[in-house]
Amino acid sequence: PCQEGEFNAYLGSKQRIPVRIIYQQVPEEVAAERRRKSRRALGKKGKIPSKLHLALLGWTIFITNVAPEILSTQQVRVVYGVRWQAEIVFKVWKSNAGLAHIGHWRIERLLCQLYARLIVLVVFQWLAAPYRFCDQSELSLSRAFRVFQRYALRIIDAIADGWVSMPLILRNIETDFLSFACMTHRIKHPSTYRSLSIIGL
């Protein structure tokens, strides 16, 4: 069985800050994969990982100064994983919306393109926000953005025609969000929404 627990400590060379150190032993297959990646990464630099470094890769360690009354040990582990939600947002912005791909044009054209894409992302986030957590499910931002892209031309046409058909388009987007963009229910690797619900956050 995995070992886990926590203890209090002080960190800092000048100002000593009280913290909680939470540790959990990972399965052997996870530790082996971590060690393999470490050996490969350090090997490219002509280095060899120390025994202590390899031993620590068999553990997941969290350091926090949040009081136990605010976040329990289990909650700290789950909340730590929520940070990936920010990574997902940036991934959608860079990959799906193409913010990472900018042509070699004059600065005026580059700025127009950048601001246009940012406006589209703001509109998308506004449309997706009400359905991020609904019916015990969670919306996949990447899937939802692909749905949104399919309606891009119809949205442009609706604006050009005086917004008359826009309510119908928005209802169709809502239907497709709920039909095609929700995450599947996962037991082994639950979604962020499900994980937070389980621990009461």
Side-chain angles (χ1 to χ4, degrees):
C2 294
Q3 299 180 24
E4 59 184 29
E6 74 167 272
F7 60 89
N8 297 324
Y10 288 87
L11 293 183
S13 58
K14 295 182 179 179
Q15 183 180 0
R16 306 291 285 174
I17 301 175
V19 297
R20 299 162 58 199
I21 298 181
I22 299 168
Y23 59 90
Q24 182 179 33
Q25 189 176 28
V26 301
E28 184 55 39
E29 59 270 20
V30 175
E33 178 64 13
R34 289 180 178 180
R35 289 165 184 150
R36 184 188 65 79
K37 290 182 178 179
S38 177
R39 289 190 178 97
R40 184 176 61 182
L42 291 176
K44 292 180 180 178
K45 301 178 182 179
K47 299 180 180 180
I48 299 176
S50 66
K51 291 183 179 180
L52 176 60
H53 177 74
L54 292 175
L56 288 175
L57 290 177
W59 301 81
T60 296
I61 300 173
F62 307 96
I63 300 176
T64 180
N65 60 355
V66 178
E69 296 77 17
I70 299 177
L71 287 178
S72 67
T73 302
Q74 180 190 9
Q75 289 173 332
V76 168
R77 297 193 191 106
V78 174
V79 169
Y80 180 77
V82 175
R83 78 195 192 283
W84 291 111
Q85 294 301 307
E87 296 291 336
I88 291 173
V89 171
F90 286 121
K91 180 181 178 181
V92 169
W93 288 14
K94 291 176 62 177
S95 302
N96 298 71
L99 285 184
H101 305 287
I102 298 179
H104 301 284
W105 302 312
R106 291 182 299 116
I107 185 64
E108 293 83 3
R109 182 173 178 179
L110 287 174
L111 289 175
C112 286
Q113 185 185 71
L114 175 63
Y115 291 142
R117 291 179 178 179
L118 290 175
I119 290 171
V120 168
L121 287 169
V122 169
V123 172
F124 164 70
Q125 295 288 158
W126 173 73
L127 287 174
Y131 313 104
R132 285 287 283 132
F133 309 106
C134 54
D135 297 329
Q136 297 299 312
S137 185
E138 183 177 353
L139 201 68
S140 166
L141 283 181
S142 58
R143 294 180 190 174
F145 193 79
R146 287 194 290 270
V147 169
F148 179 70
Q149 285 178 309
R150 292 199 293 268
Y151 283 90
L153 292 179
R154 275 176 275 183
I155 291 174
I156 293 173
D157 290 340
I159 294 174
D161 291 338
W163 301 81
V164 177
S165 60
M166 188 64 74
L168 176 60
I169 293 175
L170 294 179
R171 286 195 295 270
N172 290 336
I173 291 176
E174 174 189 359
T175 299
D176 285 357
F177 274 171
L178 298 178
S179 299
F180 306 114
C182 287
M183 296 182 183
T184 55
H185 182 65
R186 299 169 297 184
I187 298 177
K188 186 175 181 180
H189 301 289
S191 67
T192 300
Y193 170 76
R194 182 62 180 161
S195 298
L196 294 177
S197 299
I198 291 173
I199 64 172
L201 289 179

